[in-house]
Amino acid sequence: MSSPEEPLIANSRLAEANHDDTDFADDGGDLDVPGKQPEDLSPGLFIWLLTFSAGISGLLFGYDTGVISATLVSLGTSLSDRLLTPLDKSIITSSTSLAALVVSPFASVLADALGRKRVIVLADLLFIAGALTQALSVTVSAMVVGRAVVGLAVGAASFVVPLYIAELAPAAHRGRLVTMTVVCITLGQVVAYVVGWGFGEYGDARTAWRWMVGLGAVPAAVQLGILFGMPETPRWLVKVGRSAQAREVVERVSGRRTGSARRAEATLKSIEIEVREEEQARRLRSRRANGRARWLDPWFELLGVRRNRRALAIACLLQGLQQLCGFNSLMYFSATIFTMLGFLIPTLTSLVVAITNFAFTLVALFLIDRVGRRRIMLWSIPFMVAGLLLAAYGFSFIKLSSSSMTDVPTEVPAAQGAAVIILISIMTYVAGYAIGLGNVPWMQSELFALNVRSLGSGIATATNWGANFVIGLTFLLLMEALTPTGTFVLYAAICVVGYGLIWSFYPETAGLSLEEAATLLEDDNWGLR
């Protein structure tokens, strides 16, 4: 039996087919004009400026992820007048992820109610408050509160910024532009390690860590100033009845190239058609809801329509795998790991890993739209597995003392050759991650239909932060309980399972408009060809 939405979708496709000879997609200039080469429709300066401006949130996210690694080995007895235990470190680290997990679903509701841009503003205010709270902390509890406030900011920004960019980006370059957010994240991690190394080596040991965490407020303040010149997405503007403003944004996105006025008009009509269909489908389902509360409608649309359920399953799979593969354990605890291995300047060694991450994310920037999302994942995960297994092998030659998980240096020196093997293996793992799994999950918005895009993306982002919380809380404890070798073998096994699921269920969406990508999941094969 066909769902109520199917006649509406069919009418939409007829309307699109009868509108000139332009094949257009959904929001924000996702245009594919016959006879045009991809380079003719390359992102204009306006789109790149918007992407970099929104990407400052990614820089903040990356800085926060990276700076905690250097902070944990610099705190000494600054908090609560004692050395931190492994549990203290785990709680400080994972509090950010837990707060991000809690806020992500609510951020999706706010993004629909207030707009994408206002949620970014709110995230910046929270970034500033959290950074200052951490810098002024004198107890473990206060530090946890500061980290949690930053977590609220990260949870909101990590959801809304990729959505904001995806709703503005041309279809042929959407992957590249969303990947710019991940580039900013990895750049933030590099900056964090450089700052951590600089303050750790040349700063006052008593206050260096306060400067490390406090400096996170600076990019947030800069972005707040820039946001006044950034537009709202045309899709949200049309949804709330502000079509005139949406037209202005679409015209700016389309630029002044030949035919841009016609493309802008086609894009705006496409958005209006889809928003109208969403409202018609929602009313039809509401009439059949028998008095159900209206606020539950989006949840029933997400979970009650097959393609939406499938989109949610895939998005949550990718976001969960991105964290459960163990990557952020390296970002949070890399300095701790390299201290265990006997490196004299562990923060500087961590910088090598961060630079690897940044460099291969730049590689992904040029490959993501050419190679495709599915293929790049299937190519890169085997390198991650190889790196993890090689790290497990290297750790098998190293005997760690019971004090290795604290700030007290181990008395059992690490085998130099094994330490180098572990460093190389971690760089291999990080390179594979950066090319594929570090980027592709953030393309999640292209899997969802317009009427459930915010909610679905919010739930998928919450899955990411839930898994991140588990990793941050359990990594050091697993290292003690399973040994480092067992821990890295566990992460490798998770990657192998994820590879099989991606092979079986994840369709290719590169080059498709957002609507075309969402309709892939309507057929029985999950869009796999």
Side-chain angles (χ1 to χ4, degrees), residues 466-484:
N468 193 316
F469 171 72
V470 171
I471 290 296
L473 185 63
T474 62
F475 176 71
L476 292 180
L477 303 178
L478 284 174
M479 293 278 279
E480 287 186 320
L482 299 182
T483 73

Side-chain angles (χ1 to χ4, degrees), residues 33-58:
V33 181
K36 292 286 185 180
Q37 299 301 318
E39 57 267 25
D40 297 328
L41 295 176
S42 60
L45 179 60
F46 179 65
I47 281 290
W48 280 113
L49 289 176
L50 287 180
T51 301
F52 281 116
S53 299
I56 294 176
S57 294

Side-chain angles (χ1 to χ4, degrees), residues 21 23 90 151 155 167 191 203 218-219 268 302 318 330 346 365 378 394-395 398 412 417 473-474:
D21 60 349
D23 174 22
S90 296
E167 289 191 342
V191 171
V218 176
L268 188 62
L302 179 63
L318 296 179
L330 298 180
L365 182 68
L378 295 177
F395 270 113
I398 296 177
V412 181
L473 185 63
T474 62

Side-chain angles (χ1 to χ4, degrees), residues 75-326:
L75 285 170
T77 59
S78 298
L79 298 179
S80 301
D81 296 322
R82 60 178 174 80
L83 291 174
L84 299 184
T85 67
L87 183 60
D88 289 331
K89 292 183 178 182
S90 296
I91 293 175
I92 289 172
T93 302
S94 60
S95 59
T96 300
S97 305
L98 180 61
L101 165 65
V102 171
V103 81
S104 293
F106 297 101
S108 67
V109 176
L110 288 176
D112 277 340
L114 304 178
R116 288 44 166 150
K117 176 180 172 180
R118 288 174 180 169
V119 175
I120 299 176
V121 171
L122 178 61
D124 282 333
L125 294 175
L126 290 171
F127 269 123
I128 293 171
L132 296 179
T133 301
Q134 289 179 86
L136 298 174
S137 296
V138 294
T139 65
V140 172
S141 298
M143 187 68 170
V144 170
V145 170
R147 293 283 299 166
V149 173
V150 168
L152 297 177
V154 169
S158 62
F159 151 73
V160 77
V161 170
L163 177 63
Y164 177 87
I165 295 173
E167 289 191 342
L168 283 168
H173 304 281
R174 187 172 58 245
R176 189 192 312 177
L177 293 172
V178 173
T179 300
M180 278 303 305
T181 304
V182 187
V183 170
C184 291
I185 292 173
T186 58
L187 178 60
Q189 291 168 347
V190 171
V191 171
Y193 285 122
V194 171
V195 169
W197 169 73
F199 277 109
E201 290 297 309
Y202 304 106
D204 187 331
R206 295 169 299 176
T207 60
W209 68 269
R210 298 186 186 276
W211 284 100
M212 293 180 202
V213 296
L215 285 174
V218 176
V222 171
Q223 188 177 49
L224 269 179
I226 295 175
L227 279 169
F228 289 104
M230 294 169 62
E232 187 52 80
T233 69
R235 178 259 181 275
W236 185 83
L237 291 171
V238 169
K239 184 178 179 181
V240 297
R242 292 156 62 179
S243 295
Q245 288 179 257
R247 183 186 301 275
E248 293 177 4
V249 176
V250 172
E251 289 175 350
R252 293 179 70 183
V253 169
S254 299
R256 298 182 179 179
R257 293 166 291 202
T258 303
S260 60
R262 184 169 65 92
R263 291 197 297 273
E265 182 66 22
T267 302
L268 188 62
K269 287 190 176 182
S270 172
I271 300 171
E272 291 171 342
I273 288 170
E274 293 175 29
V275 170
R276 186 166 59 249
E277 288 174 354
E278 289 175 21
E279 183 61 21
Q280 290 172 349
R282 188 196 61 77
R283 289 176 180 173
L284 181 59
R285 282 187 289 270
S286 294
R287 286 198 296 269
R288 298 180 177 182
N290 297 323
R292 185 180 66 219
R294 183 171 179 177
W295 66 270
L296 290 173
D297 285 350
W299 289 92
F300 277 85
E301 291 176 23
L302 179 63
L303 302 176
V305 178
R306 184 171 72 165
R307 73 171 185 176
N308 294 339
R309 286 196 306 271
R310 289 178 169 183
L312 182 64
I314 293 172
C316 290
L317 162 66
L318 296 179
Q319 291 286 18
L321 181 61
Q322 187 187 72
Q323 296 302 325
L324 294 178
C325 71

Side-chain angles (χ1 to χ4, degrees), residues 496-508:
V496 171
V497 173
Y499 184 93
L501 293 173
I502 290 168
W503 176 275
S504 301
F505 299 111
Y506 183 41
E508 184 55 70

